[in-house]
Amino acid sequence: MSEVIDISRCPMCGGTVEAVRGKKQAKCPYCDSVFDMSDEIARIKRINGQIKQMKHNQEKYFNKPEWFDYQVKSQSLIKGNDTKEALKAFTHCIDDLGNSDAIINYIKTEMPAGTGIYHEGNKPDKFNAFLKKPMKGQLSPGENAIFYANTAFFSCGKEGILVTDRKIVFASKKQVIAVQYNELNKMALTVGVTYIHIHLNDIHNADINCIEGSSLKPYGALAALISTFSFEQNPGRDKIIICKYDGRE
């Protein structure tokens, strides 16, 4: 049975031509004219290939299967441009940069102006003040502090996230929680149109969120950095689970 090609009309009589089964030809059932469809078929295949590649690129927010056990589809986490921005930064750091030094440089140079991430070269006074309090006593001998991410909008320097080359520390007025990279086994995400929280190891208050500034790129970049540290320091470790957060404390 022939297939109707509704995108091509017979130039002789205007009728809708039909594909000839098994051949790169089309025939008009009204005037019996036969046409070579090789170029048209090649064009359709090319368009279909472009559409398939576009869909593949849209889905490509998660990769590195040797590092991650994905128990959630990336598309289910995209609620708007903000969350897409975070996942794009995560993917770029993991796939394109691939090592901690490159990701650190990316965070230092590519974060939008106003993002509350500080380091020795960016407002070192706030960076060092956070190390003294509330981070006093948290650093081990030989441990290097890399970033301080401010999460306290009205009391900068008193709350936030500290990223070192050994662990990530979450400090608030109530408590200080440290997650060692060699103990990182899960990143559980909860998302909305304008926010994303990345909970580590199912710990409610150990989550990357509320960083000062409007961009969500730092969320994905920091998640990629601590993942990369964990595998650089222990290449044979188990995969990190990526899943949705279930709300447990």
Side-chain angles (χ1 to χ4, degrees):
M1 181 180 294
S2 62
E3 297 174 319
V4 175
I5 301 178
D6 59 9
I7 61 172
S8 180
R9 294 280 180 176
C10 174
M12 306 301 293
C13 69
T16 301
V17 300
E18 299 176 345
V20 178
R21 190 178 181 86
K23 296 182 180 181
K24 295 181 178 180
Q25 293 179 336
K27 184 178 180 179
C28 177
Y30 302 100
C31 66
D32 292 328
S33 299
V34 178
F35 307 98
D36 181 8
M37 297 294 290
S38 299
D39 291 343
E40 183 67 12
I41 291 172
R43 185 182 73 84
I44 293 172
K45 287 183 177 180
R46 185 171 63 254
I47 292 173
N48 287 339
Q50 291 171 346
I51 293 173
K52 185 177 180 181
Q53 183 62 44
M54 188 188 319
K55 290 182 177 179
H56 172 74
N57 291 340
Q58 290 174 343
E59 294 283 345
K60 190 176 177 288
Y61 289 106
F62 287 161
N63 209 341
K64 207 83 166 182
E66 65 272 28
W67 280 14
F68 302 105
D69 176 9
Y70 295 109
Q71 298 183 2
V72 60
K73 292 182 179 180
S74 62
Q75 288 298 319
S76 70
L77 300 172
I78 298 175
K79 305 297 183 181
N81 290 331
D82 290 339
T83 50
K84 184 183 294 186
E85 187 177 54
L87 293 180
K88 280 186 175 181
F90 178 80
T91 300
H92 173 63
C93 290
I94 293 293
D95 294 350
D96 302 329
L97 302 181
N99 65 77
S100 58
D101 287 340
I103 297 173
I104 289 169
N105 186 64
Y106 168 79
I107 294 173
K108 286 183 175 180
T109 59
E110 297 297 329
M111 293 298 97
T115 298
I117 293 183
Y118 307 103
H119 47 85
E120 287 290 357
N122 178 25
K123 299 185 178 178
D125 53 335
K126 293 185 178 181
F127 178 71
N128 292 323
F130 188 71
L131 293 182
K132 293 178 181 178
K133 187 181 181 181
M135 286 294 106
K136 185 177 181 180
Q138 290 294 321
L139 295 180
S140 303
E143 184 176 7
N144 298 307
I146 302 170
F147 293 114
Y148 154 53
N150 178 43
T151 60
F153 298 104
F154 301 107
S155 57
C156 182
K158 296 182 179 180
E159 295 185 18
I161 301 168
L162 180 69
V163 177
T164 81
D165 55 1
R166 297 185 189 178
K167 63 180 179 286
I168 180 168
V169 184
F170 303 88
S172 67
K173 295 178 180 179
K174 296 181 179 179
Q175 61 183 340
V176 176
I177 301 173
V179 178
Q180 302 285 337
Y181 298 141
N182 60 2
E183 297 175 352
L184 177 63
N185 56 59
K186 182 183 289 187
M187 290 186 177
L189 288 74
T190 179
V191 300
V193 175
T194 59
Y195 67 86
I196 183 168
H197 291 208
I198 305 173
H199 301 265
L200 307 184
N201 293 349
D202 272 334
I203 303 173
H204 178 67
N205 291 320
D207 63 312
I208 301 172
N209 78 96
C210 297
I211 298 174
E212 178 190 9
S214 59
S215 171
L216 294 194
K217 288 171 66 176
Y219 297 69
L222 289 179
L225 177 59
I226 65 177
S227 300
T228 302
F229 269 135
S230 69
F231 279 95
E232 286 180 347
Q233 295 170 10
N234 183 10
R237 57 153 295 149
D238 291 338
K239 294 180 180 180
I240 298 172
I241 295 172
I242 307 291
C243 61
K244 284 190 175 181
Y245 182 58
D246 60 12
R248 289 182 296 168
E249 293 284 342

